[in-house]
Amino acid sequence: MDSTLARLLTPLESGFAQAGNIFALFIDVVRKIFRRPFQLREFIEQSWFIASVSILPSALVAIPFGAVVALQTGSLVKQLGAESFTGATSVLATVQQAAPVVTALIIAGAAGSAVAADLGSRTIREEIDAMEVLGVDPIQKLVVPRVLGMTLVALLLNGLVSVVGIAGGYFFNVLLQGGTPGAYLASFSALAQLPDLWIGEIKALVFGVIAGVIAAYKGLHPKGGPKGVGDAVNQSVVITFLVLFFVNLVLTLVYLQVVPAKGA
């Protein structure tokens, strides 16, 4: 019985230990953001690389995502006899939920996997150990620019996805569901408020930090050589997805409790 219980508790203990290590890496990254010298060149290069692998997929995913949200909400409000609020429901759903989630998935899947693979390959080639021997801090040199780059690109991508998603929703609602452009825009301006935009940006910022830290942690701790790097990349994407959906739930609950709906 004791051995069975120990086998059941081992994965749980490992998960808690890994969560603690990831949080410790996050604290280390925050501290070393303000340490000089700041790796500006590395930050610009990583930001450009992350943007180059994320912009096109984000735009392509945002179009059908916004269309699905618009079609579904349009059909629902039509059944309820509230066609005049179609624009508000679809746009608010896109800005508050769809855009940050799409941004998080693209950042974690495209950029996060690339960061984990890069750091993992450096680790198995013992470049990280060599940097530590030479007195160069790999967290400050490599991890901080990547985390900041993913955070910056996530903020910018969230705006791009919001615009593309809203445009796609407008197109499909007006052309396919017979909506009127004036009612679509009027309902949005009547029910939307500035905090709706801020919560989307806050989510994108938090998601970018989480994706960057988890990808960096997995990249710095691969196991088993080249195969371990591949496993670390897969684990970083899966763990990031799970954490992001949970954090999205928490942020949404807090927002809905703290910020009252417009007109309430």
Side-chain angles (χ1 to χ4, degrees):
M1 179 64 70
D2 292 339
S3 60
T4 303
L5 182 61
R7 286 197 301 269
L8 293 175
L9 291 178
T10 298
L12 189 61
E13 294 175 353
S14 177
F16 278 114
Q18 191 169 130
N21 292 334
I22 293 174
F23 184 75
L25 178 61
F26 166 72
I27 298 299
D28 204 18
V29 168
V30 172
R31 287 194 302 107
K32 292 176 181 178
I33 288 175
F34 306 100
R35 181 178 298 179
R36 297 293 179 268
F38 180 73
Q39 304 299 321
L40 181 61
R41 181 184 180 88
E42 184 77 10
F43 167 69
I44 295 174
E45 291 178 352
Q46 291 302 317
S47 299
W48 176 252
F49 169 74
I50 293 169
S52 65
V53 301
S54 303
I55 290 177
L56 184 59
S58 298
L60 294 177
V61 171
I63 295 174
F65 217 98
V68 169
V69 171
L71 293 174
Q72 185 65 49
T73 55
S75 176
L76 179 61
V77 298
K78 188 175 183 179
Q79 293 175 6
L80 298 175
E83 292 90 342
S84 59
F85 295 102
T86 301
T89 54
S90 61
V91 171
L92 291 177
T94 300
V95 172
Q96 291 186 18
Q97 302 297 331
V101 170
V102 169
T103 301
L105 296 181
I106 297 299
I107 286 292
S113 59
V115 168
D118 176 43
L119 294 178
S121 62
R122 291 172 181 265
T123 301
I124 64 172
R125 291 198 305 264
E126 299 182 351
E127 289 184 21
I128 304 298
D129 295 335
M131 293 176 66
E132 293 176 345
V133 170
L134 294 174
V136 178
D137 189 349
I139 305 299
Q140 182 183 7
K141 177 73 174 178
L142 301 176
V143 176
V144 170
R146 285 162 173 78
V147 173
L148 291 180
M150 294 180 70
T151 304
L152 174 63
V153 174
L155 285 171
L156 300 179
L157 279 183
N158 184 68
L160 172 66
V161 173
S162 298
V163 171
V164 175
I166 292 172
Y170 175 86
F171 175 83
F172 281 94
N173 177 261
V174 172
L175 294 185
L176 298 183
Q177 293 183 316
T180 57
Y184 190 95
L185 298 176
S187 65
F188 171 56
S189 60
L191 296 180
Q193 51 186 337
L194 188 58
D196 296 326
L197 176 62
W198 286 120
I199 186 59
E201 289 295 295
I202 291 173
K203 285 183 178 181
L205 185 147
V206 173
F207 294 165
V209 172
I210 291 174
V213 172
I214 293 178
Y217 174 79
K218 283 297 182 180
L220 292 174
H221 300 86
K223 298 178 180 178
K227 181 180 181 300
V229 176
D231 294 338
V233 171
N234 294 333
Q235 292 172 9
S236 70
V237 174
V238 173
I239 294 174
T240 303
F241 282 2
L242 294 175
V243 174
L244 290 181
F245 282 116
F246 177 76
V247 173
N248 181 58
L249 171 63
V250 173
L251 291 177
T252 301
L253 290 174
V254 172
Y255 173 75
L256 294 177
Q257 293 296 322
V258 173
V259 181
K262 189 174 182 179

